[in-house]
Amino acid sequence: MADNYRWADLGALGAQGVPGARALGAGIERMVTGIASPPDTRRGWTARLNYLTKSPAGRTALTDAGISRRALAAWTAGKRSPSPKNRAKLDRAYWDLRRQRVTPHLKRRLANNGRGTRIEIDPVDQRNVQQPHRRDLAVRHTNVRPRIWNTAVDAWLDDDHQAMEGIWDEIIMDLGSGYDAYTNVSSVGWAA
């Protein structure tokens, strides 16, 4: 019984992983960010600037990020480049708007016409756990229902860690007995 208690304290015996809720959020984030040019390159900040200046919502995001009209005019006219501090603001405004815009698409993709999306849950890495303390954990698969995906995407968008933890608990409950061994994981993945 003492070993089970210590197992719950991730890392006490050498296991490595992250909370499942964080892994789920990171997976959603990867769907949105994909491969984007870094904001500190000319191509990266120019792409973000173009995206943000093409719509009223983008211009509002720029204002909300604290970017002045004067600076914006100088950048769009090619008179100067944004400072590193302003590039960070530009990047934040870009991703905030992008996340809001892709949310409906993410929900539709993950809902998969009402079928949900099957995920793979990789258990914690036990390479550094001594043999007598290792648990027999396998990669697990479960189908996440559309209702749960909708809630997860909303929690991710709101950066609501507590809600994500509740969602993760609901997902792993479907794994049956031993579900608590998947509170922390190496990774979570899916193809959607």
Side-chain angles (χ1 to χ4, degrees):
M1 189 63 138
D3 282 343
N4 286 341
Y5 175 77
R6 290 191 332 199
W7 177 261
D9 182 15
L10 181 67
L13 299 173
Q16 297 176 355
V18 297
R22 187 182 318 159
L24 183 66
I28 295 170
E29 184 77 15
R30 279 190 305 274
M31 287 183 74
V32 174
T33 58
I35 300 172
S37 299
D40 56 345
T41 64
R42 180 168 183 79
R43 182 178 182 182
W45 68 259
T46 301
R48 285 159 176 73
L49 188 60
N50 287 337
Y51 182 82
L52 291 165
T53 56
K54 299 263 186 256
S55 70
R59 291 188 290 280
T60 299
L62 287 165
T63 302
D64 291 348
I67 295 173
S68 71
R69 288 184 182 187
R70 183 175 164 192
L72 189 57
W75 302 340
T76 55
K79 293 181 180 175
R80 63 176 213 248
S81 299
S83 67
K85 183 178 177 181
N86 280 330
R87 286 181 194 168
K89 289 179 182 179
L90 190 61
D91 191 52
R92 191 170 42 258
Y94 171 79
W95 286 114
D96 286 348
L97 182 61
R98 180 103 173 101
R99 285 179 182 97
Q100 290 173 13
R101 286 183 171 174
V102 301
T103 297
H105 173 71
L106 280 177
K107 288 178 178 181
R108 278 192 307 276
R109 256 177 92 181
L110 293 167
N112 191 20
N113 294 316
R115 292 186 300 272
T117 298
R118 189 167 179 80
I119 65 171
E120 177 178 288
I121 305 170
D122 296 312
V124 293
D125 181 350
Q126 298 184 73
R127 283 181 286 193
N128 297 325
V129 177
Q130 292 180 5
Q131 189 58 41
H133 300 291
R134 287 186 185 180
R135 291 183 70 180
D136 186 20
L137 299 175
V139 172
R140 301 291 299 268
H141 298 89
T142 188
N143 197 61
V144 178
R145 295 177 299 281
R147 175 188 59 80
I148 295 174
W149 277 122
N150 288 342
T151 307
V153 170
D154 289 339
W156 163 82
L157 183 63
D158 295 338
D159 203 23
D160 187 341
H161 301 286
Q162 188 173 357
M164 286 299 278
E165 287 172 7
I167 292 160
W168 183 251
D169 286 345
E170 190 172 347
I171 290 170
I172 62 175
M173 290 293 276
D174 287 344
L175 299 178
S177 64
Y179 71 88
D180 59 333
Y182 296 88
T183 300
N184 293 291
V185 299
S186 289
S187 65
V188 176
W190 60 86

